Amino acid sequence: HPDIEEFISAKRENARLQMFNLSVAVTEDFIKAVKADADWDLKFKGKVYKTIRARDLWDRIMHSTYEYAEPGFILIDRINQYNNLYYCEEIRATNPCGEQPLPPYGACLLGSVNLTRFIRGEFTTQARFDFERLKEVVAIAVRLLDNVIDISRYPLEQQAAEAARKRRMGIGLTGLADAFIALGVKYGSPESVALAGEIMNTIRCAAYASSVELAKERGAFPLFDAEKYCAGRFVSTLPKELQKAIKTHGIRNAAQTTIAPTGTIGTVAGCEGYGCEPVFALAYIRHVNDKGNDLLLNYVSPFFQEALNAACLPEETKELIINKVIEHGSCQHIEQLPQHIRKVFVVSSDITANEHIHIQAALQRFVDNSLSKTIN
């Protein structure tokens, strides 16, 4: 677009945009032009307004993202290629946090499963994850969200029509990091990567199976085309028995899975790791808006304090550890801390970029919408 150069810095120069998340929709042709060091036309409705070097524009985006965390960029062609509804819509943008790619007039409908509720024998050597219970809860969640589509009051008629034709939803998770801690698993370790994938695959399969059952009762979403839908890049990765069931009975909801940031609902649920993120810090000052007043709350992880109490450390040692955690947010350099506690209580700054990416990749394989993940 001819305004792309101004758009890159728009948020820094316009106070009205401060609460918006801005991203650039990047096409595969542009990526190819960057790799080939080719020129790139800035155009709108067929008219070329300016020609620039593709790498110069790429560098401006990257420098701005590094220095200001804005704009993000989204591989819009790849998203459309993997969209379950590739045959009847074009994804144009996402919701504010990027986890829900949407066509014009599309609406978010998200629900997150609190993973801490599926740990059995937490903080013990016999700790395990209850996958069977997870399947049961996800099936109920799909039915709940499908009902929400019909009872919601949409601001615009076009939004109501869009939701009714496709019945898109996003079942996800929160408290992934909390679950790892309760199981004695370090976030970012190979064990955590494998477990994250197993959890998300369970959610995906349970959600699709539940939506097939709903289709038997209530009918498939109106734009369902069995051949085209099952030929989609994501749907074709489902287990063969699920693909067969979809072809035979249809499916109620066009898309099923999303991992949202869950900052507010994660806090309400008592989680310390929101969405698929690690714990941000074991201690920090939390700002709370109380009727316009900014309240400052000193927060220390209850999980961490529980682990310290279970370790039966002297009171003066526990106090020393807590003070160091309050000072640094992390516990990785506290010599007085038992190794088994230090192993699992990692925070975002303790985790390498590659470890973040491996967790994201393990989850992303089983997400048909998208996920929100921060990698500093």
Side-chain angles (χ1 to χ4, degrees), residues 39-71:
D39 288 338
W40 186 256
D41 292 333
L42 302 185
K43 59 187 178 182
F44 184 66
K45 292 186 176 179
K47 179 181 177 181
V48 176
Y49 288 78
K50 185 180 180 180
T51 299
I52 60 175
R53 183 170 170 250
R55 285 189 181 177
D56 288 342
L57 180 57
W58 178 253
D59 286 343
R60 287 185 65 176
I61 296 170
M62 290 299 104
H63 280 291
S64 182
T65 299
Y66 178 79
E67 293 167 0
Y68 298 96
E70 206 96 38

Side-chain angles (χ1 to χ4, degrees), residues 254-271:
Q256 307 284 328
T257 51
T258 301
I259 301 179
T262 74
T264 302
I265 64 172
T267 300
V268 171
C271 297

Side-chain angles (χ1 to χ4, degrees), residues 191-252:
E191 184 182 2
S192 73
V193 172
L195 180 58
E198 187 177 3
I199 290 171
M200 199 62 222
N201 186 31
T202 301
I203 292 174
R204 174 189 70 155
C205 291
Y208 272 79
S210 179
S211 192
V212 170
E213 291 302 311
L214 277 177
K216 293 178 184 177
E217 294 177 29
R218 305 174 180 178
F221 68 92
L223 291 181
F224 175 71
D225 181 306
E227 292 301 321
K228 293 178 180 177
Y229 187 83
C230 290
R233 290 195 182 190
F234 184 87
V235 176
S236 61
T237 68
L238 291 169
K240 295 300 181 184
E241 63 271 18
L242 257 181
Q243 294 185 50
K244 182 178 179 181
I246 292 170
K247 275 190 176 181
T248 303
H249 305 290
I251 193 163
R252 181 68 171 168

